[in-house]
Amino acid sequence: MPKSLIEDFKNPPKAFKPMPFWHINGELTTDGIRQQMKDAKELGGFSGISVLPLAPKKNGRPGTTPKFLSKEYLERFQDVLNIAEELDMEVILYDDNDFPSGMAGGKLGELYPEHTMKRLDNVESTVQGPAVLKEKLPDGELLAAVAMNPKTLERLDLSEYIKDNTINWQVPAGEWKVMYFVLVKDSYHKAYPVVDYLDTTAVRKLMELTYEVHEENFGSYFGNTIKKVFFDDVGFWKHPRTWTGRFNQKFKELNGYDPEPYYPALWYDIGPETESVRHAFFKTRAELLAEGFPKLVGKWAQENGLKDTGHPPGNYDPTPIDMNADIFKFYRHMAIPLTDAIIGYQFGQNGHKLISSAADYYDRPMVSTEIYGAYKEETMDSLMLYRSAMDLFSRGVNFVVPHGLWYHPEQVYISPLVSPYSEKLAAALPGYSEFVGRACMLLQGGKRVSEIGVFYPFEELAGWYRFEDPANPRQGFFISPETNYMEISGMLTNDLRQDFTFIHPEFFLGDKYALHNGAVTLSNLENKQTYKALILTGCKVISVKTLEKLKAYYDQGGLVISTGQLPYKSSEMGKDEQVKTLIKELFGVDANAPLDGNPHINQNNSGGRAIHLADANEAELSKALVMGLTPDVAFSPNPILGSDFGKFNYIHKIKEGRHIYFFSNSSDEAIQTEVTLKGDFKLFEANPHTGNITPIKNSKKVSIENQSYTKASLNLPPVGAVFWISNEDLK
């Protein structure tokens, strides 16, 4: 390891240090900007800031003055850039006035009201036939008109009976539910009307008002003082029925049939086709969102020498369907996928690996986090700064945007205040910034070692979801009783402590996932991963094509583990029987048979094993994994913590030929254990709290079944973390 790395770990370069949001709740002045940026750097240790303009609130809380995008505002933003250059700081360009992104500070709604967000409504009534139905259509753009018999589930397309905005239909005998599916302008917005994220024409109009204004005025700073652009909450929060005018056209392109007769499936069970049709609808919406706002912003950023980062709402929630459509597809065009780690400590913790797994698939070297925002003030102390950060580092994050600074710190309305003006946190911030800088310096880039792939059950999530179900507890949480992939995520990360990667089943079908000798390789240029075990979590719905490739992996000697309900419905229309047949061939179990709780093992002559765990508990999953792989990292004893407050985790990366292991203990308990690493290493300990790097003297080499291992003792204090680095040349 070069001497420069040792020096950089001691004094990490500014690019790796935290760059917090700076909420502007008041009037910007040149003197105020200079003082606060100077304090952010010198007292907080922050290397940059993201200026976050705010809209005024109805309760009297002030917004940003001068008004966002006004001549005077742009002059103050110029002050920010001038002072950033003086102080050698970086400025992250936040793209709007408040959040969510897409309002242009109200200008979009004023200038282009036709390009604001749209909603799909179902205007329905019950008609008893035989009768004549003649009535005006409801307001809005009609996307489909369907009658459905609620007893037989027979559906009739009514479009041929509509003329001049009036329907004239001879109703057959029986009871019929008449449904008009209309597109209307959405009415709920946080501050101002938001853009139609699914419509590229609308997004381009928005970008003229925001992105291009910043480019025109501050383009000379792009790539130097401004290196990143940030967007916020782009998705469906409070708008679960977000829709767009060209939806039907896109549906036909993707799925090959007309969606109009199938619209009732978005609200009701329409028979055996229900799950496959819902999957087709929500897959279409996911493509529209991915190819809308995030793609256009990503393209603009790339053209301007910037890296874009940001997030949708609910990126860690159990279901993406009514929050962000498809979390993997959302990040398709993003340079730095971001996880929104707010609300409270450990909230959504099992979902953060979704974002880093998406980054793995796209071979992105950086994963960022927006962190701490909305933590209750009484829960926040100096230790919490570290708990949250180290938990996320172990889950793949390597760049930190704290939430944050406030221009008037006495008027914070989204706690906590993470600022040198905080009495609780001020003294801790310089050390914290150094800790983050050291960790991110080692964790950015490279290859993450993960030998377990866990299927992300998108087909199940999409096939289950329907609009306005009375059983829906809240957005992001309406999942089938069989869905347990989040629990498996927590079990692997926090209990078994074996790292894994989520695999999107649709992406699994591509050439990027190659099968070879009982293993699956994610064929990336840098972040290449090889999985020796694949886990199918509980679900009823899956793609036949996914199952066929999964069986091919098993036929070649691979280990497949199912955890809970086996699928028996196809996400492709009319292929349920093929799913059942493949499941029987793969696991030797009837998917519709009652779960008896006992593991079932199916084997083949190639050494393949398919293990069905009806009761996917920690002990049974551990036994199943041992059948296919020896852990890359193992702990003896595997620490058992006395509470769920805080976690003991690890992450293993390989960079420039060096193995880098990060061990984190966010709990209040000391941890002592022996660590066994696969490989023969000379190890050094790098302490991110102090910046010191020292040789590990207690390591020993062992050989088990012709495989070399290195063992060493690990001692972690409460809320402590450490790196182990392999290198023969470190002096």
Side-chain angles (χ1 to χ4, degrees), residues 255-276:
N255 303 290
Y257 62 95
D258 185 355
E260 293 190 31
Y262 296 96
Y263 264 86
L266 291 168
W267 270 264
Y268 299 104
D269 186 335
I270 64 168
E273 301 167 327
T274 302
E275 289 84 3
S276 62

PDB file of all heavy atoms in Angstrom, residues 255-276:
ATOM      1  N   ASN A 255     -45.929  -4.830 -23.645  1.00  0.00           N
ATOM      2  CA  ASN A 255     -46.615  -6.077 -23.330  1.00  0.00           C
ATOM      3  C   ASN A 255     -47.312  -6.740 -24.513  1.00  0.00           C
ATOM      4  O   ASN A 255     -47.725  -7.900 -24.419  1.00  0.00           O
ATOM      5  CB  ASN A 255     -47.634  -5.838 -22.208  1.00  0.00           C
ATOM      6  CG  ASN A 255     -46.977  -5.269 -20.967  1.00  0.00           C
ATOM      7  OD1 ASN A 255     -46.232  -5.952 -20.281  1.00  0.00           O
ATOM      8  ND2 ASN A 255     -47.242  -3.988 -20.684  1.00  0.00           N
ATOM      9  N   GLY A 256     -47.488  -5.987 -25.605  1.00  0.00           N
ATOM     10  CA  GLY A 256     -48.007  -6.590 -26.811  1.00  0.00           C
ATOM     11  C   GLY A 256     -49.510  -6.744 -26.877  1.00  0.00           C
ATOM     12  O   GLY A 256     -50.022  -7.436 -27.762  1.00  0.00           O
ATOM     13  N   TYR A 257     -50.247  -6.137 -25.958  1.00  0.00           N
ATOM     14  CA  TYR A 257     -51.710  -6.187 -26.051  1.00  0.00           C
ATOM     15  C   TYR A 257     -52.310  -4.898 -25.498  1.00  0.00           C
ATOM     16  O   TYR A 257     -51.628  -4.110 -24.837  1.00  0.00           O
ATOM     17  CB  TYR A 257     -52.278  -7.416 -25.335  1.00  0.00           C
ATOM     18  CG  TYR A 257     -52.014  -7.512 -23.846  1.00  0.00           C
ATOM     19  CD1 TYR A 257     -52.938  -7.050 -22.918  1.00  0.00           C
ATOM     20  CD2 TYR A 257     -50.853  -8.120 -23.357  1.00  0.00           C
ATOM     21  CE1 TYR A 257     -52.716  -7.170 -21.549  1.00  0.00           C
ATOM     22  CE2 TYR A 257     -50.615  -8.247 -21.996  1.00  0.00           C
ATOM     23  CZ  TYR A 257     -51.551  -7.767 -21.095  1.00  0.00           C
ATOM     24  OH  TYR A 257     -51.330  -7.887 -19.739  1.00  0.00           O
ATOM     25  N   ASP A 258     -53.578  -4.702 -25.795  1.00  0.00           N
ATOM     26  CA  ASP A 258     -54.295  -3.483 -25.427  1.00  0.00           C
ATOM     27  C   ASP A 258     -54.660  -3.534 -23.940  1.00  0.00           C
ATOM     28  O   ASP A 258     -55.316  -4.480 -23.491  1.00  0.00           O
ATOM     29  CB  ASP A 258     -55.558  -3.369 -26.272  1.00  0.00           C
ATOM     30  CG  ASP A 258     -56.327  -2.076 -26.046  1.00  0.00           C
ATOM     31  OD1 ASP A 258     -55.930  -1.300 -25.156  1.00  0.00           O
ATOM     32  OD2 ASP A 258     -57.330  -1.860 -26.751  1.00  0.00           O
ATOM     33  N   PRO A 259     -54.288  -2.540 -23.163  1.00  0.00           N
ATOM     34  CA  PRO A 259     -54.589  -2.590 -21.732  1.00  0.00           C
ATOM     35  C   PRO A 259     -56.025  -2.224 -21.379  1.00  0.00           C
ATOM     36  O   PRO A 259     -56.478  -2.509 -20.259  1.00  0.00           O
ATOM     37  CB  PRO A 259     -53.631  -1.550 -21.151  1.00  0.00           C
ATOM     38  CG  PRO A 259     -53.495  -0.531 -22.233  1.00  0.00           C
ATOM     39  CD  PRO A 259     -53.507  -1.330 -23.513  1.00  0.00           C
ATOM     40  N   GLU A 260     -56.765  -1.598 -22.286  1.00  0.00           N
ATOM     41  CA  GLU A 260     -58.048  -1.001 -21.899  1.00  0.00           C
ATOM     42  C   GLU A 260     -59.014  -1.993 -21.252  1.00  0.00           C
ATOM     43  O   GLU A 260     -59.599  -1.689 -20.203  1.00  0.00           O
ATOM     44  CB  GLU A 260     -58.690  -0.312 -23.116  1.00  0.00           C
ATOM     45  CG  GLU A 260     -57.903   0.908 -23.580  1.00  0.00           C
ATOM     46  CD  GLU A 260     -58.646   1.721 -24.627  1.00  0.00           C
ATOM     47  OE1 GLU A 260     -59.888   1.747 -24.593  1.00  0.00           O
ATOM     48  OE2 GLU A 260     -57.967   2.345 -25.480  1.00  0.00           O
ATOM     49  N   PRO A 261     -59.204  -3.207 -21.801  1.00  0.00           N
ATOM     50  CA  PRO A 261     -60.159  -4.117 -21.154  1.00  0.00           C
ATOM     51  C   PRO A 261     -59.697  -4.616 -19.781  1.00  0.00           C
ATOM     52  O   PRO A 261     -60.490  -5.201 -19.039  1.00  0.00           O
ATOM     53  CB  PRO A 261     -60.251  -5.290 -22.140  1.00  0.00           C
ATOM     54  CG  PRO A 261     -59.717  -4.770 -23.433  1.00  0.00           C
ATOM     55  CD  PRO A 261     -58.690  -3.764 -23.057  1.00  0.00           C
ATOM     56  N   TYR A 262     -58.433  -4.374 -19.447  1.00  0.00           N
ATOM     57  CA  TYR A 262     -57.860  -4.937 -18.223  1.00  0.00           C
ATOM     58  C   TYR A 262     -57.739  -3.922 -17.085  1.00  0.00           C
ATOM     59  O   TYR A 262     -57.302  -4.279 -15.985  1.00  0.00           O
ATOM     60  CB  TYR A 262     -56.483  -5.529 -18.528  1.00  0.00           C
ATOM     61  CG  TYR A 262     -56.537  -6.685 -19.495  1.00  0.00           C
ATOM     62  CD1 TYR A 262     -56.305  -6.479 -20.861  1.00  0.00           C
ATOM     63  CD2 TYR A 262     -56.834  -7.964 -19.060  1.00  0.00           C
ATOM     64  CE1 TYR A 262     -56.366  -7.530 -21.760  1.00  0.00           C
ATOM     65  CE2 TYR A 262     -56.892  -9.024 -19.950  1.00  0.00           C
ATOM     66  CZ  TYR A 262     -56.660  -8.799 -21.295  1.00  0.00           C
ATOM     67  OH  TYR A 262     -56.724  -9.851 -22.170  1.00  0.00           O
ATOM     68  N   TYR A 263     -58.132  -2.676 -17.310  1.00  0.00           N
ATOM     69  CA  TYR A 263     -57.999  -1.651 -16.268  1.00  0.00           C
ATOM     70  C   TYR A 263     -58.684  -2.032 -14.950  1.00  0.00           C
ATOM     71  O   TYR A 263     -58.204  -1.657 -13.873  1.00  0.00           O
ATOM     72  CB  TYR A 263     -58.513  -0.305 -16.778  1.00  0.00           C
ATOM     73  CG  TYR A 263     -57.416   0.596 -17.308  1.00  0.00           C
ATOM     74  CD1 TYR A 263     -56.975   0.500 -18.624  1.00  0.00           C
ATOM     75  CD2 TYR A 263     -56.824   1.550 -16.487  1.00  0.00           C
ATOM     76  CE1 TYR A 263     -55.972   1.317 -19.115  1.00  0.00           C
ATOM     77  CE2 TYR A 263     -55.820   2.383 -16.963  1.00  0.00           C
ATOM     78  CZ  TYR A 263     -55.395   2.261 -18.280  1.00  0.00           C
ATOM     79  OH  TYR A 263     -54.397   3.081 -18.762  1.00  0.00           O
ATOM     80  N   PRO A 264     -59.799  -2.762 -14.954  1.00  0.00           N
ATOM     81  CA  PRO A 264     -60.406  -3.119 -13.665  1.00  0.00           C
ATOM     82  C   PRO A 264     -59.468  -3.885 -12.729  1.00  0.00           C
ATOM     83  O   PRO A 264     -59.653  -3.854 -11.504  1.00  0.00           O
ATOM     84  CB  PRO A 264     -61.600  -3.990 -14.076  1.00  0.00           C
ATOM     85  CG  PRO A 264     -62.002  -3.458 -15.416  1.00  0.00           C
ATOM     86  CD  PRO A 264     -60.694  -3.137 -16.086  1.00  0.00           C
ATOM     87  N   ALA A 265     -58.449  -4.561 -13.264  1.00  0.00           N
ATOM     88  CA  ALA A 265     -57.522  -5.312 -12.417  1.00  0.00           C
ATOM     89  C   ALA A 265     -56.746  -4.403 -11.471  1.00  0.00           C
ATOM     90  O   ALA A 265     -56.220  -4.868 -10.451  1.00  0.00           O
ATOM     91  CB  ALA A 265     -56.549  -6.107 -13.283  1.00  0.00           C
ATOM     92  N   LEU A 266     -56.691  -3.117 -11.786  1.00  0.00           N
ATOM     93  CA  LEU A 266     -56.005  -2.185 -10.894  1.00  0.00           C
ATOM     94  C   LEU A 266     -56.790  -1.943  -9.610  1.00  0.00           C
ATOM     95  O   LEU A 266     -56.240  -1.442  -8.628  1.00  0.00           O
ATOM     96  CB  LEU A 266     -55.759  -0.856 -11.618  1.00  0.00           C
ATOM     97  CG  LEU A 266     -54.734  -0.914 -12.761  1.00  0.00           C
ATOM     98  CD1 LEU A 266     -54.784   0.366 -13.580  1.00  0.00           C
ATOM     99  CD2 LEU A 266     -53.332  -1.158 -12.216  1.00  0.00           C
ATOM    100  N   TRP A 267     -58.076  -2.283  -9.635  1.00  0.00           N
ATOM    101  CA  TRP A 267     -58.923  -2.121  -8.444  1.00  0.00           C
ATOM    102  C   TRP A 267     -59.495  -3.452  -7.943  1.00  0.00           C
ATOM    103  O   TRP A 267     -59.739  -3.604  -6.761  1.00  0.00           O
ATOM    104  CB  TRP A 267     -60.085  -1.176  -8.743  1.00  0.00           C
ATOM    105  CG  TRP A 267     -59.803   0.262  -8.475  1.00  0.00           C
ATOM    106  CD1 TRP A 267     -60.117   0.965  -7.345  1.00  0.00           C
ATOM    107  CD2 TRP A 267     -59.156   1.204  -9.351  1.00  0.00           C
ATOM    108  NE1 TRP A 267     -59.712   2.279  -7.461  1.00  0.00           N
ATOM    109  CE2 TRP A 267     -59.116   2.455  -8.689  1.00  0.00           C
ATOM    110  CE3 TRP A 267     -58.608   1.106 -10.637  1.00  0.00           C
ATOM    111  CZ2 TRP A 267     -58.561   3.589  -9.257  1.00  0.00           C
ATOM    112  CZ3 TRP A 267     -58.047   2.242 -11.205  1.00  0.00           C
ATOM    113  CH2 TRP A 267     -58.021   3.459 -10.516  1.00  0.00           C
ATOM    114  N   TYR A 268     -59.700  -4.418  -8.854  1.00  0.00           N
ATOM    115  CA  TYR A 268     -60.452  -5.623  -8.504  1.00  0.00           C
ATOM    116  C   TYR A 268     -59.756  -6.885  -8.990  1.00  0.00           C
ATOM    117  O   TYR A 268     -58.906  -6.843  -9.892  1.00  0.00           O
ATOM    118  CB  TYR A 268     -61.861  -5.563  -9.128  1.00  0.00           C
ATOM    119  CG  TYR A 268     -62.685  -4.407  -8.648  1.00  0.00           C
ATOM    120  CD1 TYR A 268     -62.878  -3.292  -9.467  1.00  0.00           C
ATOM    121  CD2 TYR A 268     -63.257  -4.410  -7.374  1.00  0.00           C
ATOM    122  CE1 TYR A 268     -63.637  -2.216  -9.030  1.00  0.00           C
ATOM    123  CE2 TYR A 268     -64.015  -3.341  -6.935  1.00  0.00           C
ATOM    124  CZ  TYR A 268     -64.205  -2.250  -7.759  1.00  0.00           C
ATOM    125  OH  TYR A 268     -64.948  -1.182  -7.319  1.00  0.00           O
ATOM    126  N   ASP A 269     -60.160  -8.003  -8.394  1.00  0.00           N
ATOM    127  CA  ASP A 269     -59.792  -9.316  -8.908  1.00  0.00           C
ATOM    128  C   ASP A 269     -60.603  -9.564 -10.178  1.00  0.00           C
ATOM    129  O   ASP A 269     -61.828  -9.482 -10.163  1.00  0.00           O
ATOM    130  CB  ASP A 269     -60.116 -10.379  -7.846  1.00  0.00           C
ATOM    131  CG  ASP A 269     -59.638 -11.768  -8.244  1.00  0.00           C
ATOM    132  OD1 ASP A 269     -59.491 -12.035  -9.454  1.00  0.00           O
ATOM    133  OD2 ASP A 269     -59.421 -12.591  -7.342  1.00  0.00           O
ATOM    134  N   ILE A 270     -59.928  -9.868 -11.276  1.00  0.00           N
ATOM    135  CA  ILE A 270     -60.636 -10.114 -12.533  1.00  0.00           C
ATOM    136  C   ILE A 270     -60.525 -11.580 -12.946  1.00  0.00           C
ATOM    137  O   ILE A 270     -60.849 -11.933 -14.085  1.00  0.00           O
ATOM    138  CB  ILE A 270     -60.127  -9.202 -13.663  1.00  0.00           C
ATOM    139  CG1 ILE A 270     -58.666  -9.503 -14.000  1.00  0.00           C
ATOM    140  CG2 ILE A 270     -60.323  -7.732 -13.314  1.00  0.00           C
ATOM    141  CD1 ILE A 270     -58.183  -8.858 -15.290  1.00  0.00           C
ATOM    142  N   GLY A 271     -60.053 -12.440 -12.046  1.00  0.00           N
ATOM    143  CA  GLY A 271     -59.932 -13.859 -12.363  1.00  0.00           C
ATOM    144  C   GLY A 271     -58.485 -14.297 -12.461  1.00  0.00           C
ATOM    145  O   GLY A 271     -57.580 -13.638 -11.937  1.00  0.00           O
ATOM    146  N   PRO A 272     -58.218 -15.428 -13.116  1.00  0.00           N
ATOM    147  CA  PRO A 272     -56.865 -15.994 -13.162  1.00  0.00           C
ATOM    148  C   PRO A 272     -55.806 -15.075 -13.756  1.00  0.00           C
ATOM    149  O   PRO A 272     -54.617 -15.253 -13.491  1.00  0.00           O
ATOM    150  CB  PRO A 272     -57.046 -17.252 -14.046  1.00  0.00           C
ATOM    151  CG  PRO A 272     -58.487 -17.592 -13.949  1.00  0.00           C
ATOM    152  CD  PRO A 272     -59.208 -16.290 -13.802  1.00  0.00           C
ATOM    153  N   GLU A 273     -56.225 -14.101 -14.554  1.00  0.00           N
ATOM    154  CA  GLU A 273     -55.265 -13.203 -15.204  1.00  0.00           C
ATOM    155  C   GLU A 273     -54.836 -12.047 -14.307  1.00  0.00           C
ATOM    156  O   GLU A 273     -53.953 -11.271 -14.683  1.00  0.00           O
ATOM    157  CB  GLU A 273     -55.881 -12.626 -16.478  1.00  0.00           C
ATOM    158  CG  GLU A 273     -56.295 -13.673 -17.504  1.00  0.00           C
ATOM    159  CD  GLU A 273     -57.175 -13.087 -18.590  1.00  0.00           C
ATOM    160  OE1 GLU A 273     -57.946 -12.153 -18.265  1.00  0.00           O
ATOM    161  OE2 GLU A 273     -57.098 -13.552 -19.733  1.00  0.00           O
ATOM    162  N   THR A 274     -55.425 -11.919 -13.138  1.00  0.00           N
ATOM    163  CA  THR A 274     -55.254 -10.719 -12.314  1.00  0.00           C
ATOM    164  C   THR A 274     -53.790 -10.378 -12.073  1.00  0.00           C
ATOM    165  O   THR A 274     -53.346  -9.244 -12.324  1.00  0.00           O
ATOM    166  CB  THR A 274     -55.975 -10.883 -10.964  1.00  0.00           C
ATOM    167  OG1 THR A 274     -57.353 -11.130 -11.199  1.00  0.00           O
ATOM    168  CG2 THR A 274     -55.823  -9.633 -10.121  1.00  0.00           C
ATOM    169  N   GLU A 275     -53.028 -11.325 -11.560  1.00  0.00           N
ATOM    170  CA  GLU A 275     -51.640 -11.029 -11.166  1.00  0.00           C
ATOM    171  C   GLU A 275     -50.770 -10.670 -12.366  1.00  0.00           C
ATOM    172  O   GLU A 275     -49.956  -9.733 -12.297  1.00  0.00           O
ATOM    173  CB  GLU A 275     -51.036 -12.223 -10.419  1.00  0.00           C
ATOM    174  CG  GLU A 275     -51.601 -12.444  -9.028  1.00  0.00           C
ATOM    175  CD  GLU A 275     -52.896 -13.232  -9.019  1.00  0.00           C
ATOM    176  OE1 GLU A 275     -53.334 -13.669 -10.112  1.00  0.00           O
ATOM    177  OE2 GLU A 275     -53.466 -13.418  -7.931  1.00  0.00           O
ATOM    178  N   SER A 276     -50.939 -11.390 -13.469  1.00  0.00           N
ATOM    179  CA  SER A 276     -50.113 -11.100 -14.641  1.00  0.00           C
ATOM    180  C   SER A 276     -50.448  -9.732 -15.227  1.00  0.00           C
ATOM    181  O   SER A 276     -49.561  -8.999 -15.684  1.00  0.00           O
ATOM    182  CB  SER A 276     -50.285 -12.190 -15.702  1.00  0.00           C
ATOM    183  OG  SER A 276     -51.618 -12.258 -16.166  1.00  0.00           O
TER     184      SER A 276
END
